[in-house]
Structure formats: structure tokens, C-alpha cells
Amino acid sequence: SDPPVPRTPTQLAFVPPLMASTTAVKTFAAPSLPPSIFPQLTILGQASADAQDLKAPITSPELFTADKAVRERQELHVLEVDGEVVGYAKTGFKDLWFYNPTDQKAGLQSHPSTPCLLDIFVFSQRSGLGRVLFSRVLESSGVEAGRWAYDRPSFRLPGFLRKGWGLEEGEKQSNGFMVFGEFFED
């Protein structure tokens, strides 16, 4: 049978998420991504870019299947509601440098293989689906939310992390990532 025709962001915004009978998160490691997800990921990636006022999407089937995604051990966590793809979180590991504001003598510190949230988007905002998605990401990684680096966070992300995981006062770094005090704790 033919794959389902992807809905537009406007159509997806009307999916009643809390009334859904089935919510699932499927995880794919780069470069493995089923072609059936390509149309929805293209729409979601563009919607994410639009929401963040970016010139181009930072998540797409082409980017996720590229060599860089493999090197960074990227994973795509796809949120489905009643079989419909309505959101995703893209994670990976990067070798980064951070400045710890509580230890000024240390200067920049190297943090190899830092777990990073590279992009996250859910069509139905304020529905609880973002929390379901990111909770699953944290659970599968075994890494607490305060120990992640967040790549170029939108203005909404700090509030989302504060409300869902009690993270306060993220520190924006010169490399564009945001980290929290817990990140530097041993």
C-alpha cells in the first residue's frame, strides 16, 4: 500500500494529543532512518526552523543520514501519536569546551563526548507531549537533564527545562550551547 500522505503543520496542530490512545517514541541511530518517516521529518524540520526563525532546517532526512550525523553519534527520537509523527528530539555527542562560571580559575575546560540536545520540536506545544518525548530521551540515555548541553536553545527551552526538570539559570556559552550548574558537578 502507499505510504500515508503527510499532514501539514496546521493539520497536525489539531491532533488531540491528550486524548490519543497510543503514544510512542521510536529511536533511530544515524544514518538509519526508514524512508516512510522522510516526508513527516521534512515537514517537522521546517516547522522547527520556522519556530526558531532559522534560515534553513537543522533537522532533515538528508542531514540525519550524512557523515557528520554518524560522527556525532546522532539519534533521532520520533514521537508518534496514534501512528502519526508529531515531534522529534535529535541528540548526539560532541567534543566541546565550556567555561565554568563557579570555577573562574579553571578557565575553559574540555568536555569530550558531551551528550547534546541538538534540536527538539513538537507540533502541539503545551500539550505535555514535549515532556513525554524528552523524558523518554533522558530515560534511554541514562543521563540527567542537567548533565546535557543544549545547542542554541530557543527562548522556550529554558522554561520547558525549568518546569519539567527544575533546571534554573542556564549558562549560555560562547560556543552557542547552554549548560546548567549540574553539568559541572562531579
Side-chain angles (χ1 to χ4, degrees), residues 19-159:
M19 307 285 255
S21 59
T22 307
T23 303
V25 177
K26 297 179 180 175
T27 301
F28 304 96
S32 300
L33 191 63
S36 62
I37 293 179
F38 282 30
Q40 287 302 118
L41 184 58
T42 300
I43 291 169
L44 284 162
Q46 185 61 57
S48 176
D50 293 346
Q52 297 178 67
D53 290 326
L54 302 174
K55 293 180 182 180
I58 57 175
T59 301
S60 70
E62 297 78 18
L63 293 171
F64 188 71
T65 56
D67 289 342
K68 179 181 177 187
V70 175
R71 280 193 311 276
E72 292 178 355
R73 296 180 287 152
Q74 288 185 10
E75 290 185 336
L76 191 67
H77 309 268
V78 177
L79 176 66
E80 292 183 353
V81 174
D82 291 337
E84 185 84 46
V85 177
V86 297
Y88 67 84
K90 183 172 70 171
T91 61
F93 294 88
K94 292 187 172 216
D95 297 335
L96 299 170
W97 290 83
F98 293 106
Y99 173 75
N100 183 346
T102 62
D103 186 4
Q104 295 180 0
K105 293 179 184 177
L108 283 176
Q109 300 170 346
S110 173
H111 290 267
S113 283
T114 302
C116 302
L117 179 65
L118 303 171
D119 193 16
I120 186 169
F121 185 77
V122 175
F123 273 127
S124 298
Q125 310 232 335
R126 300 197 180 278
S127 63
L129 290 174
R131 185 176 178 133
V132 168
L133 174 60
F134 195 51
S135 291
R136 285 286 193 60
V137 169
L138 295 173
E139 181 182 309
S140 69
S141 73
V143 179
E144 296 174 11
R147 301 237 179 228
W148 287 72
Y150 299 88
D151 192 7
R152 290 168 178 59
S154 71
F155 71 93
R156 290 183 179 108
L157 189 65

